[in-house]
Amino acid sequence: MKLSNRFTFSRIILSPVFFLIYFLPIWLQNATLAKISVFISIPLLAFMEFTDYLDGHYARKYNEVSDFGKLFDPFADVMVHLATFLCFMFTFGNYGGYLYPVIFILILYREMTQNFLRMVAASKGTAIAARKGGKIKTVGYVISGFYALFLESLVRLDMVPSFFGTLKIISLVLFIICVIASYASFIDYLIHFGKILKEE
């Protein structure tokens, strides 16, 4: 496997690891495990997001850019973000989630439809690479994910401030922006590649 694809593959493998680390303290209701999870989940999420840069960097450096990579990379991104966003609908304490289910469903529908479009395009011999709008959307996902993880870390470390409700509203706003950006970028993809679907 090419080096760039190894970095991409690592995101797919680590996504369920993050999921387990996040949920184990919730399932077991263990405060000590909750504190420990903070010091694992933050660097783990940082590493997963950093590999998104590394796979592109090494693909260009070693001339490993391929149609497979153009499909594999966004697929891994979807795995990471859907797994982490699912986590952020739940908290260790009784603070509610940072992401409403309806927002998660909207993001899920967008990502699944986008992947379907990529598969149809690939069957026609066209590899849909990430466009500018898609990259902006991904940046929004990263910012929102880290912010939600920051809030959950405060909960797990018993450092919840009195204005935590305001911080949660900011999280909600960030995720709403993600939804808007994700559908705006999807419309952009449809404009440029929608003709592939019309041929079916």
Side-chain angles (χ1 to χ4, degrees):
M1 182 181 289
K2 298 176 180 178
L3 179 60
S4 57
N5 289 336
R6 288 179 183 176
F7 283 118
T8 303
F9 185 64
S10 70
R11 293 206 296 285
I12 296 176
I13 296 297
L14 293 175
S15 293
V17 174
F18 180 93
F19 182 90
L20 287 174
I21 291 173
Y22 189 95
F23 273 106
L24 275 176
I26 296 176
W27 293 334
L28 300 176
Q29 285 300 297
N30 187 303
T32 300
L33 192 57
K35 290 180 173 62
I36 294 173
S37 70
V38 171
F39 300 100
I40 300 175
S41 59
I42 292 177
L44 180 58
L45 181 59
F47 177 76
M48 287 193 295
E49 296 294 1
F50 186 51
T51 60
D52 192 20
Y53 161 77
L54 291 177
D55 59 17
H57 171 75
Y58 284 105
R60 291 185 294 272
K61 181 177 181 179
Y62 295 119
N63 195 28
E64 296 178 352
V65 178
S66 64
D67 288 345
F68 174 78
K70 292 177 182 178
L71 294 173
F72 197 35
D73 178 57
F75 173 74
D77 289 344
V78 169
M79 292 289 287
V80 169
H81 294 133
L82 289 184
T84 54
F85 284 7
L86 176 59
C87 291
F88 299 142
M89 288 194 291
F90 303 88
T91 65
F92 177 71
N94 297 317
Y95 294 94
Y98 311 106
L99 171 65
Y100 290 173
V102 64
I103 295 178
F104 177 79
I105 290 298
L106 287 173
I107 291 176
L108 175 67
Y109 281 177
R110 186 274 182 194
E111 297 300 340
M112 293 299 99
T113 307
Q114 176 68 30
N115 272 355
F116 176 74
L117 176 59
R118 291 183 188 278
M119 289 189 295
V120 173
S123 70
K124 299 293 183 179
T126 301
I128 300 180
R131 292 178 58 79
K132 185 176 181 180
K135 293 179 180 179
I136 293 175
K137 177 266 301 181
T138 299
V139 171
Y141 281 9
V142 173
I143 294 173
S144 300
F146 273 108
Y147 184 78
L149 184 56
F150 165 70
L151 295 185
E152 179 63 8
S153 297
L154 293 179
V155 170
R156 297 186 180 208
L157 295 174
D158 293 326
M159 298 173 60
V160 179
S162 59
F163 52 91
F164 192 70
T166 301
L167 296 180
K168 284 189 63 178
I169 292 175
I170 294 174
S171 178
L172 176 61
V173 171
L174 288 174
F175 281 117
I176 290 174
I177 292 174
C178 283
V179 171
I180 295 172
S182 67
Y183 277 87
S185 68
F186 181 64
I187 292 172
D188 176 61
Y189 280 108
L190 283 180
I191 292 174
H192 287 84
F193 301 101
K195 60 182 180 180
I196 296 173
L197 295 175
K198 292 180 180 179
E199 294 173 358
E200 294 297 327

